[in-house]
Amino acid sequence: MNSVKPNNSNRANKQPPRWAERLLAWLHPAETLEEVQGDLDELYAYWYQRAGEPQASLRYVLNVLSVLPPFVLRRRTQKAQYPKPSSFHPSMLRNYLKIAFRTLWRSKGYAAVNVVGLSVAFCVCTFLFEMIYRQLTFDSFHQDGDRIFQIYLFKNEPAKAERSGGMPMPLTPTLKTAYPEIQAATRILPEGSLIEYKGKYLDKSVNFVDADFLNVFSFQMLKGNRNLALRDFSSLVISEKTAEAIFGNEDPIGKAVLLGNKGNQKQYIVSGVLADAPDNSSIRYDMVARIENTSTYQNAKDQWDAFSHKAYVKVAPNVDQASLENRLKPFAQTYFSDDLEKLKKKGAKPDERGDLVAVRLQKLANVHFDREITSSGAPIAVVYALLGIAFFILAIACINFINLSIARSFTRAREVGVRKSLGALKKQLFVQIWSESALICLVGFLVGSLMAFLLVPAFNAQFNAKINLNSLLRPGVIGGIIGMFLLVTLVAGGYPSWQMAKFNAVEVLKGKITMKRPGFLRNSLIVTQFTISCLLTCCTIFAIQQVGYLRSRPLGFEKEQVISIPVGNKYSGRQLLQRLRNKLTSDPTVLAISGSNVNLGRGKDGSTSRSMLGFTYKEKEISTDWLLVDYDYLKTLNIKLLAGREFNPAYPADSLDRVVITESMAKQIGEKNPVGKFFQTDTAGTKYQIIGLVPDYHLYSLQQEKKPITMHLSNSEAIDYIFVRVTPQSLNTSMEKLKGIWSEIAPGAEFTGSFLDENIDAWYRNEDSMAQVFSFASGIAILLSCLGLFAVALMAIEQRTKEIGVRKVLGASIPGIVLLLSRDFVKLVLIALAIATPLTWFLMSQWLAEYPYRIDISIWVFALVGVAAILIAVATVSFHSIKAALVNPVKSLRSE
């Protein structure tokens, strides 16, 4: 600190011989060591001034040696006769707490700042650690989880290695037959379906799986035999929630239900009830049935080029993943030989493992974080970011505690000196001062824990989290919270206590503090605080900018004024589309109606689907989104034609073999004027004619690069979503109108329509949550940093009271004094900004690299944050600076 400066200018020349000091310390009892040492130091200083350093050192050594024999004897007798007092005796502990309460009561402001900072940090960290715990424990509840793997296909394309979680139907049975170390294997193909029982209908999701599903995964079986529940093709296992919704209080086992869309239903027998999937499960289900019941199974069961589902295997104990993957190399070369030949023609090179095509395994624990093979996963980078934010906030609170404790140590130096002179041991002083810190930490911990319990609903609503009070009471969470409390208490409270207990009593009472360079430690901690605050603030701004960019970037169609309606499974989507057209034909507020099998954005049903088609055209490998649409699709989305025409009911062949393609699809097939050209998806299949060309548009979110799109009509494929474009004037009433019409054309079916622009916004829900978390964290970090700076500045200025008085007497102006007192803190903020800028640049470059469409990192953001940080620091410090500068110098000079 600047106000109390140790007078160490001549200390290096007035220091007694080190070895003599160590000898004295080793032989002398600790109870009276400081008193004897102080006397000898004073004698040394006296002889140093009278006779010089050699004479002073010689006399010091002789004085030490002259007391050795009786001293050693006295030490032994004292050790035998007087037991060493315990610093942890109950009486001493009560005394420590009593003194701690009194000391803190006298320093209410200091205690309040620390309690507020610590309680906020404990509360926020509890929430963040709970969110992190939930993510890191995904799928951890399965028995033998370390032996469960998801299968994925690896292709080392020339441009970039690709991994796909979609598998062909014959892969899993073939693998299980060929490799005995695979104990169990299951395919999982989720589909929406209607379940009917005694006139009751429910739209539910059914997972079509193999009989091994319940042997691979250990979801809790509430009713039924898990070894026999999926033995028959007609068996159906349902979740607890589905059983309650369909059967109420009835026992569902053995009951017959109808499953499937209206007009295409099949009877199943309920053979088991599973507990609802835990919240941290990447596999969700309402119902589970055999995969052989799917409509496409018979055609696909021998096709190795149709990728439709996920596959999981459970291996035998002690089977090594790497060795099994190595054994799978011949398998991939045999069954994916076509892909292998195509890659060779493209000039692809083997990867570091020597593979062009490979069947590989992903650990179940990592599936949730692998977004490439699992579309619904969470990026592990977000989890690490949350973990970093939690530690940052905790670190800032600890830094505040340490800074304030060290700053306060100068005002308590004389107290420590007096206690030492009265016989207090260093260990006793440490425990006494540390007990004050522990008491503050305890109060902060209790207040923070109370805040966490009270704010759970608000936190869940704001950040779409799934924290509940019961989860906070788990032994692991409680242990983590207590561990966090102990860590903060030891680190933030122990270091300042240890430093204060080391004060030399003689020099403290003379007004000299021997603590080495306290300003350096304080300044380093303040720089760390503002580095974290600047980093989080910059990351927040870039995250908000990226989300805004994704939302504002043109999609290639008009998302406004369009209502998207999921059809569900109770009625045929094609029939509902036609009924809706009939109802709204004469309505002037309806501009166009169409349908598709793919929703735009994420609607209220929460589902999404994608159909990709690959084929060869003039020796070129073509890959395209294969999109089913209905008439007026382009008109409904206001997509302009570049050439040709759109689908028209006047041309019956349009529903058989006509397609409309995007510009990138035309570029991929190498046709500048593609209208009228033909192509085949396979040599024996339909020959399609291109009748229209449209600009590229984003069928999926901007988190993925847009792909070529081929639109086709089909009378046999299902329409899953209906789109209705309305006039701007009818936006407020159109949704209610459609809801009423829906109840007429689809009685008993739930209406889950939503506006398309809302669906598009839902694409970026994860990015929104990340931006909100960063905003919240940076706000807390800045608040805590300013709180700590406010208190440190107050104590620093208090210690310079006499200096300020002297400067005013010598003619210093108030602005000059304010500038003097603020200048040092502004320097620290500039250093923090210089450190935070490259860190932020690196971290955000890594994060933005995941997006094909992204913002540029602008230097003005760093400049803006830097200016804001300086202004905040100046405003924080200036409050005390101006107040100190306005004090009458007479009072300042009397202060000490």
Side-chain angles (χ1 to χ4, degrees):
M1 298 302 172
N2 293 326
S3 61
V4 180
K5 298 181 179 178
N7 186 11
N8 294 331
S9 59
N10 297 321
R11 179 167 176 77
N13 297 325
K14 295 182 180 181
Q15 188 74 26
R18 294 278 184 180
W19 66 269
E21 286 185 319
R22 294 193 186 99
L23 182 63
L24 179 65
W26 179 58
L27 293 172
H28 201 285
E31 291 82 357
T32 56
L33 173 62
E34 291 184 4
E35 182 180 354
V36 173
Q37 194 172 34
D39 293 338
L40 292 178
D41 286 346
E42 288 181 0
L43 288 172
Y44 177 84
Y46 172 77
W47 284 109
Y48 185 93
Q49 292 176 353
R50 293 288 301 274
E53 181 181 1
Q55 282 291 327
S57 298
L58 178 61
R59 289 175 180 271
Y60 185 89
V61 171
L62 291 174
N63 282 328
V64 170
L65 294 176
S66 67
V67 297
L68 281 183
F71 173 76
V72 173
L73 182 61
R74 184 167 62 253
R75 179 174 180 171
R76 289 175 179 172
T77 56
Q78 285 179 348
K79 193 171 185 180
Q81 294 176 6
Y82 303 104
K84 194 173 182 180
S86 173
S87 300
F88 298 97
H89 191 275
S91 300
M92 294 296 291
L93 293 176
R94 284 196 300 270
N95 185 57
Y96 294 150
L97 289 176
K98 187 185 297 183
I99 295 174
F101 273 113
R102 290 174 180 172
T103 304
L104 294 176
W105 185 254
R106 288 197 304 267
S107 307
K108 300 183 188 67
Y110 160 81
V113 168
N114 277 324
V115 167
V116 170
L118 289 173
S119 60
V120 171
F122 278 134
C123 176
V124 173
C125 288
T126 298
F127 287 143
L128 294 180
F129 283 139
E130 175 62 20
M131 293 176 67
I132 294 164
Y133 178 83
R134 176 179 174 270
Q135 293 293 328
L136 294 180
T137 55
F138 250 78
D139 300 314
S140 61
F141 55 89
H142 292 291
Q143 295 177 6
D144 304 320
D146 58 330
R147 293 162 47 199
I148 302 174
F149 300 87
Q150 181 180 356
I151 304 172
Y152 68 89
L153 186 65
F154 169 83
K155 294 182 183 180
N156 200 37
E157 295 281 354
K160 179 184 176 184
E162 295 181 355
R163 301 183 307 136
S164 171
M167 292 292 114
M169 279 291 178
L171 180 135
T172 304
T174 308
L175 269 180
K176 189 178 177 183
T177 302
Y179 295 90
E181 57 263 57
I182 297 178
Q183 285 188 341
T186 181
R187 297 163 285 190
I188 301 179
L189 178 60
E191 290 184 2
S193 184
L194 190 74
I195 181 171
E196 178 184 354
Y197 176 72
K198 293 183 178 180
K200 185 184 292 185
Y201 299 89
L202 282 179
D203 266 325
K204 292 291 181 181
S205 173
V206 56
N207 282 354
F208 289 102
V209 302
D210 288 291
D212 273 346
F213 176 81
L214 296 176
N215 295 326
V216 174
F217 302 106
S218 54
F219 294 109
Q220 184 183 0
M221 196 84 177
L222 301 179
K223 293 183 179 181
N225 187 326
R226 69 183 312 114
N227 295 320
L228 304 175
L230 291 173
R231 182 183 59 182
D232 300 326
F233 289 167
S234 60
S235 297
L236 180 70
V237 177
I238 61 178
S239 69
E240 186 179 9
K241 187 180 295 182
T242 303
E244 183 179 348
I246 290 290
F247 299 100
N249 295 325
E250 290 185 62
D251 184 0
I253 301 298
K255 298 291 192 304
V257 298
L258 295 177
L259 201 66
N261 297 333
K262 199 71 173 177
N264 187 27
Q265 295 173 305
K266 179 181 176 180
Q267 180 173 288
Y268 289 83
I269 305 298
V270 178
S271 57
V273 177
L274 286 175
D276 296 328
D279 185 53
N280 59 343
S281 172
S282 56
I283 299 173
R284 318 296 300 176
Y285 53 81
D286 292 322
M287 299 175 287
V288 180
R290 290 288 293 271
I291 198 168
E292 291 84 356
N293 293 301
T294 58
S295 58
T296 59
Y297 180 80
Q298 292 303 321
N299 293 330
K301 66 179 182 178
D302 297 318
Q303 293 182 356
W304 286 88
D305 58 351
F307 302 88
S308 59
H309 63 276
K310 298 176 184 177
Y312 294 84
V313 296
K314 183 177 180 179
V315 302
N318 302 321
V319 172
D320 181 64
Q321 178 183 350
S323 61
L324 179 56
E325 286 180 340
N326 192 53
R327 289 196 61 209
L328 288 173
K329 288 186 177 184
F331 180 91
Q333 294 169 0
T334 300
Y335 292 101
F336 296 98
S337 56
D338 291 344
D339 295 292
L340 192 61
E341 291 302 319
K342 290 176 183 178
L343 286 172
K344 288 180 179 178
K345 289 180 180 179
K346 293 179 182 179
K349 302 295 183 182
D351 71 340
E352 65 278 2
R353 295 166 64 174
D355 295 329
L356 278 176
V357 176
V359 174
R360 293 180 179 173
L361 308 174
Q362 178 64 282
K363 291 182 179 179
L364 181 64
N366 298 332
V367 167
H368 175 65
F369 303 108
D370 197 334
R371 301 190 80 181
E372 191 173 358
I373 65 173
T374 305
S375 58
S376 59
I380 189 65
V382 173
V383 179
Y384 290 148
L386 289 175
L387 187 62
I389 288 170
F391 280 117
F392 284 164
I393 290 176
L394 198 59
I396 289 175
C398 291
I399 288 171
N400 280 348
F401 201 155
I402 293 172
N403 266 341
L404 290 175
S405 298
I406 291 176
R408 190 163 169 264
S409 68
F410 290 93
T411 63
R412 299 187 64 186
R414 293 188 185 275
E415 175 194 340
V416 174
V418 171
R419 286 179 180 272
K420 281 197 167 188
S421 67
L422 293 176
L425 301 178
K426 185 184 297 184
K427 182 168 64 174
Q428 291 173 329
L429 283 171
F430 171 80
V431 175
Q432 170 62 59
I433 299 169
W434 181 80
S435 65
E436 297 174 14
S437 302
L439 188 60
I440 291 176
C441 288
L442 179 62
V443 175
F445 166 74
L446 294 176
V447 173
S449 300
L450 180 62
M451 289 169 58
F453 276 98
L454 295 177
L455 294 177
V456 163
F459 187 86
N460 286 340
Q462 182 66 32
F463 299 106
N464 194 31
K466 297 182 178 178
I467 300 173
N468 56 63
L469 296 179
N470 292 332
S471 67
L472 294 178
L473 295 175
R474 287 198 307 263
V477 176
I478 294 175
I481 293 174
I482 294 175
M484 182 169 57
F485 161 70
L486 294 176
L487 178 65
V488 172
T489 304
L490 291 173
V491 173
Y495 178 76
S497 304
W498 176 64
Q499 288 289 348
M500 291 175 68
K502 285 172 56 181
F503 283 166
N504 186 290
V506 175
E507 294 193 353
V508 165
L509 293 176
K510 287 181 177 181
K512 302 175 183 179
I513 298 179
T514 61
M515 190 175 175
K516 297 180 180 179
R517 302 190 66 189
F520 175 77
L521 176 63
R522 181 204 68 184
N523 293 344
S524 301
L525 294 176
I526 291 177
V527 166
T528 302
Q529 278 186 315
F530 275 91
T531 298
I532 294 171
S533 300
C534 291
L535 186 148
L536 291 177
T537 303
C538 291
C539 290
T540 299
I541 294 174
F542 287 128
I544 293 173
Q545 284 183 336
Q546 176 65 14
V547 174
Y549 175 78
L550 293 176
R551 284 185 168 147
S552 62
R553 183 180 170 88
L555 296 172
F557 61 89
E558 289 188 10
K559 60 182 180 180
E560 291 79 14
Q561 303 166 222
V562 178
I563 297 173
S564 168
I565 309 172
V567 171
N569 299 297
K570 189 171 185 179
Y571 297 95
S572 165
R574 195 167 296 280
Q575 292 179 356
L576 292 179
L577 176 60
Q578 189 55 49
R579 293 175 189 174
L580 199 59
R581 278 197 175 111
N582 295 337
K583 287 280 187 180
L584 299 174
T585 300
S586 58
D587 192 330
T589 64
V590 176
L591 302 178
I593 303 176
S594 187
S596 174
N597 68 334
V598 173
N599 199 5
L600 291 165
R602 189 175 294 275
K604 291 183 178 179
D605 61 340
S607 64
T608 184
S609 61
R610 188 167 200 167
S611 178
M612 296 290 295
L613 183 66
F615 60 93
T616 303
Y617 178 81
K618 294 183 179 179
E619 298 185 351
K620 295 179 181 178
E621 293 300 321
I622 308 300
S623 177
T624 176
D625 275 306
W626 191 249
L627 178 65
L628 171 69
V629 301
D630 202 71
Y631 299 109
D632 292 334
Y633 184 80
L634 302 181
K635 181 181 178 182
T636 304
L637 297 179
N638 206 4
I639 300 175
K640 308 299 181 184
L641 270 168
L642 298 176
R645 64 177 179 84
E646 63 177 313
F647 299 112
N648 194 320
Y651 297 90
D654 281 2
S655 61
L656 300 175
D657 55 9
R658 303 289 189 265
V659 295
V660 175
I661 65 172
T662 58
E663 284 183 290
S664 57
M665 179 62 180
K667 183 178 180 180
Q668 189 176 200
I669 64 177
E671 300 288 353
K672 293 183 178 179
N673 300 305
V675 176
K677 299 295 192 294
F678 291 87
F679 66 83
Q680 282 181 287
T681 57
D682 59 74
T683 54
T686 304
K687 182 179 285 189
Y688 293 96
Q689 183 182 21
I690 301 171
I691 62 170
L693 179 68
V694 298
D696 288 330
Y697 69 96
H698 290 275
L699 187 60
Y700 298 95
S701 98
L702 272 72
Q703 298 163 336
Q704 309 167 42
E705 194 168 0
K706 59 186 174 186
K707 302 287 187 182
I709 301 173
T710 301
M711 290 168 272
H712 70 286
L713 290 177
S714 173
N715 291 327
S716 60
E717 296 181 48
I719 295 290
D720 296 317
Y721 298 93
I722 296 174
F723 303 117
V724 182
R725 175 171 288 278
V726 298
T727 59
Q729 298 80 9
S730 63
L731 284 177
N732 295 330
T733 59
S734 54
M735 189 68 75
E736 287 301 318
K737 181 192 296 183
L738 284 173
K739 188 175 182 179
I741 296 175
W742 192 261
S743 63
E744 297 177 16
I745 65 174
E750 184 182 4
F751 178 80
T752 54
S754 57
F755 285 101
L756 207 58
D757 52 358
E758 296 174 353
N759 294 359
I760 300 299
D761 284 344
W763 268 340
Y764 311 112
R765 196 170 292 153
N766 286 337
E767 283 72 14
D768 261 340
S769 297
M770 181 177 176
Q772 287 181 5
V773 169
F774 270 117
S775 300
F776 175 71
S778 61
I780 295 294
I782 292 172
L783 175 64
L784 292 178
S785 298
C786 291
L787 189 65
L789 184 60
F790 185 84
V792 170
L794 172 62
M795 293 192 173
I797 292 170
E798 283 180 352
Q799 293 163 14
R800 300 179 70 176
T801 302
K802 183 175 286 188
E803 176 190 347
I804 295 170
V806 172
R807 288 182 180 276
K808 289 193 71 177
V809 169
L810 295 176
S813 63
I814 292 176
I817 292 175
V818 172
L819 179 62
L820 174 71
L821 297 174
S822 304
R823 184 175 55 197
D824 293 339
F825 292 104
V826 172
K827 289 179 183 177
L828 300 179
V829 174
L830 290 175
I831 295 172
L833 184 65
I835 297 172
T837 298
L839 281 176
T840 306
W841 192 289
F842 172 76
L843 293 174
M844 295 312 292
S845 296
Q846 297 295 313
W847 179 64
L848 290 171
E850 298 181 2
Y851 294 89
Y853 309 98
R854 53 185 176 269
I855 60 171
D856 294 323
I857 298 179
S858 303
I859 193 67
W860 68 263
V861 173
F862 298 105
L864 178 65
V865 172
V867 171
I870 292 172
L871 291 177
I872 290 172
V874 169
T876 303
V877 177
S878 294
F879 176 82
H880 296 310
S881 303
I882 295 172
K883 186 177 178 181
L886 292 174
V887 173
N888 189 320
V890 176
K891 293 183 178 180
S892 300
L893 294 173
R894 285 178 179 173
S895 65
E896 297 180 15

